[in-house]
Amino acid sequence: MPADPLPIRIDALFYREADRSYRIAPHMHRIHQWYVLLHGGVNIILDGQVIELHPEQSIVMPPGAMREIHCRQKAPGYLVAVFESLGIDLAPVTGRVLDTPMELRQDLLTLVDELRMPKGPESRFLASALLTRLLIGQKRAALAGQPPVSSLNAAQHHEVVAQADVFMERNFFRSVSRAEVAAAVHLSEPHLGRLFKAVTGKTVLERLTEIRIGQAKALLLESTLSVTQIALDVGISSFSHFSKTFKSDSGLSPSDYRRLGGRLYG
């Protein structure tokens, strides 16, 4: 019995990295477009609605919708698939911001790698299969909702925490709430909080602060930016709060840390 064909017909599939001047003028497609942001930030104006995409988020745009895309803050790396759906009902995922489920992240990275460095004439078949897997996986995740923490084993607990860490490391420069981190790993806030504390001994926001202070230390030693600018660049808008938090962590004020080259004693 012959195998069924793939349920999508691909018109375009590529991965690109752009600079901060990145902008795609208003346009439309007659078929579906899936836009996946791997890093950086973009705003998508979809039929007049402004949609922010953050790393590891995506959106399926419906046929005929007017869209415009431009960089927001950091230069983007993004995947685009323009395709006709022949056998997948995409209504549950169309027009909404989608977080990449943990179980799909490796497939997404594999697809990006295959698009960047094709490994032979069969590469296009693998890319098509991976795209199909990702679209179906996104739909199932949207329909299934959030898995309870109790259904995860110990290894998965650590994996969830690692993925939360990755999300915070990619977004530390802006205001990040615990709810955002929880949504990024598809858990409720209370569940993520309990899991994070059990695995790391810290709260989610304590870990985010740790990441920010680590980045601030590097900037103090490696750049000539003012302390005030560094505070803003690591996502802390209050200078007094930044100074207090930094001294609590390192035992030195930010200025003394820079002057002493990161040593506690001169």
Side-chain angles (χ1 to χ4, degrees):
M1 181 177 179
D4 290 335
L6 290 175
I8 57 174
R9 181 181 296 123
I10 299 171
D11 188 68
L13 178 59
F14 57 86
Y15 174 77
R16 297 282 188 274
E17 293 186 349
D19 59 26
R20 293 185 64 183
S21 66
Y22 171 69
R23 184 179 183 276
I24 302 297
H27 66 288
M28 66 173 63
H29 290 287
R30 60 178 179 78
I31 51 181
H32 283 91
Q33 178 186 7
W34 188 36
Y35 189 104
V36 187
L37 186 68
L38 276 296
H39 61 81
V42 298
N43 283 345
I44 296 177
I45 304 174
L46 186 63
D47 278 343
Q49 178 187 3
V50 179
I51 298 168
E52 286 191 5
L53 280 193
H54 300 287
E56 298 191 13
Q57 289 185 331
S58 66
I59 185 169
V60 176
M61 292 179 268
M66 184 64 67
R67 70 219 53 190
E68 178 181 350
I69 308 168
H70 59 85
C71 174
R72 188 191 69 256
Q73 295 181 324
K74 288 198 170 185
Y78 59 96
L79 179 146
V80 169
V82 180
F83 64 95
E84 183 179 2
S85 178
L86 305 176
I88 306 175
D89 177 11
L90 294 172
V93 294
T94 299
R96 55 183 283 195
V97 175
L98 305 168
D99 293 305
T100 303
M102 184 169 51
E103 66 272 15
L104 296 181
R105 284 173 177 148
Q106 187 55 56
D107 288 325
L108 177 59
L109 294 176
T110 301
L111 175 56
V112 169
D113 183 60
E114 201 66 34
L115 294 173
R116 293 179 68 183
M117 295 180 290
K119 298 172 178 62
E122 70 279 4
S123 181
R124 64 188 181 94
F125 299 114
L126 177 57
S128 298
L130 285 167
L131 177 60
T132 302
R133 151 73 173 152
L134 288 164
L135 289 169
I136 292 173
Q138 287 282 184
K139 176 184 175 181
R140 287 179 175 176
L143 293 174
Q146 299 175 340
V149 171
S150 59
S151 70
L152 305 177
N153 61 37
Q156 289 172 315
H157 289 174
H158 286 273
E159 187 175 355
V160 168
V161 167
Q163 294 296 341
D165 240 26
V166 168
F167 178 82
M168 289 188 285
E169 286 169 354
R170 290 178 176 175
N171 293 276
F172 69 87
F173 57 88
R174 64 178 183 85
S175 176
V176 178
S177 67
R178 192 176 77 157
E180 268 190 275
V181 181
V185 295
H186 300 277
L187 295 177
S188 70
E189 275 191 75
H191 281 172
L192 178 65
R194 288 193 295 271
L195 187 153
F196 215 92
K197 190 76 172 177
V199 172
T200 70
K202 302 171 186 174
T203 68
V204 175
L205 295 184
E206 284 171 345
R207 175 56 182 149
L208 177 58
T209 298
E210 185 178 69
I211 290 169
R212 284 172 167 158
I213 295 303
Q215 293 290 333
K217 287 178 178 178
L219 288 171
L220 285 165
L221 298 179
E222 299 168 9
S223 79
T224 58
L225 294 171
S226 69
V227 175
T228 301
Q229 185 59 52
I230 288 172
L232 293 173
D233 285 354
V234 299
I236 303 176
S237 57
S238 167
F239 177 74
S240 60
H241 176 63
F242 171 71
S243 295
K244 182 180 178 181
T245 303
F246 191 96
K247 189 165 186 177
S248 175
D249 175 87
S250 67
L252 295 168
S253 70
S255 296
D256 285 343
Y257 184 89
R258 169 177 271 170
R259 179 173 58 83
L260 296 172
R263 299 184 300 276
L264 188 58
Y265 301 102

